[in-house]
Amino acid sequence: HACGPDAPTPSEPTALLADGTAPLVLGHSFGGKVGLAYAAARAEPPIRTWLFDSNPTLTTGAGGVGEVLAILEDAARDKVYSTTKAAVAALVERGLEPATAQWLAMTTEKADDGSVRFSYDLDAVRALYDDHCQTDLLPEARALDDADRLGLVIAGKAGVVPRDLGLKHTYLLEQSGHNVHVDALPGLLDVVVGTHGADWV
């Protein structure tokens, strides 16, 4: 929740406004809730804040992330591996899909003796995850929705976001998994650009 109000100060050409604020906010999963916190903290909210399969209210599962984090904590805390391949194997042995294990292992770092370890700050990751689950921004989402400044895209196959949140600007991609920007990009673009093209002018 504390991540949300922070806005970058542009030093290079960016899509941000002159005051460093964002005219449009788009966030997926955890990033959607951070984007929502950012929008709610602005005196003048963005034109629209998009939540891509991101649950704005309290949650206990966050799409299975809790299970993934528990496996990572078990495999990574105070452990070293002979190779990155061995680190991946340790995650797979604990129940992760190979693709997820390989993605997590992108953060391994090599020691002088050639061994590798996961470089995550596990305490920080756990704190962020717990805060994400325990933060209820549904009132803020409803206020933005009432002002026609919110869009919620739900992945039908993921089960991450309840379908009965009472948000008028909700769009369901029935056949999509959680990664809507990968599983259903054409449909996502139809919603974000096609349905709300005026936002981008």
Side-chain angles (χ1 to χ4, degrees):
H1 192 191
C3 297
D6 295 332
T9 301
S11 57
E12 301 289 339
T14 73
L16 299 179
L17 300 178
D19 64 358
T21 60
L24 289 164
V25 172
L26 302 89
H28 172 252
S29 195
F30 178 91
K33 208 165 197 179
V34 173
L36 178 55
Y38 166 85
R42 307 260 63 85
E44 178 66 21
I47 295 169
R48 194 171 309 277
T49 297
W50 283 102
L51 310 181
F52 297 157
D53 212 42
S54 176
N55 188 350
T57 189
L58 302 174
T59 178
T60 57
V65 174
E67 292 85 351
V68 173
L69 179 54
I71 289 173
L72 177 63
E73 288 172 322
D74 182 60
R77 194 177 295 279
D78 302 323
K79 292 183 175 67
V80 295
Y81 296 92
S82 57
T83 62
T84 301
K85 185 176 180 180
V88 171
L91 293 171
V92 173
E93 288 168 3
R94 288 166 170 80
L96 289 189
E97 293 293 326
T100 302
Q102 290 165 3
W103 174 66
L104 290 171
M106 291 173 65
T107 63
T108 53
E109 59 184 17
K110 186 174 289 188
D112 291 340
D113 63 0
S115 64
V116 300
R117 68 177 187 86
F118 290 95
S119 59
Y120 290 103
D121 183 336
L122 292 172
D123 292 333
V125 173
R126 169 57 68 180
L128 284 170
Y129 172 74
D130 289 345
D131 185 65
H132 167 79
C133 292
Q134 296 163 13
T135 298
D136 184 7
L137 294 178
L138 186 55
E140 289 82 352
R142 286 177 172 158
L144 290 172
D145 187 52
D146 288 342
D148 191 23
R149 294 198 176 204
L150 186 86
L152 171 64
V153 177
I154 296 177
K157 290 185 175 180
V160 172
V161 183
R163 301 188 186 190
D164 58 351
L165 293 177
L167 300 173
K168 298 185 293 292
H169 301 88
T170 296
Y171 306 87
L172 177 64
L173 299 180
E174 190 70 63
Q175 299 304 311
S176 179
H178 181 54
N179 293 320
V180 292
H181 52 295
V182 176
D183 294 353
L185 182 58
L188 184 64
L189 291 174
D190 283 346
V191 170
V192 174
V193 180
T195 307
H196 296 282
D199 293 353
W200 301 85
V201 176

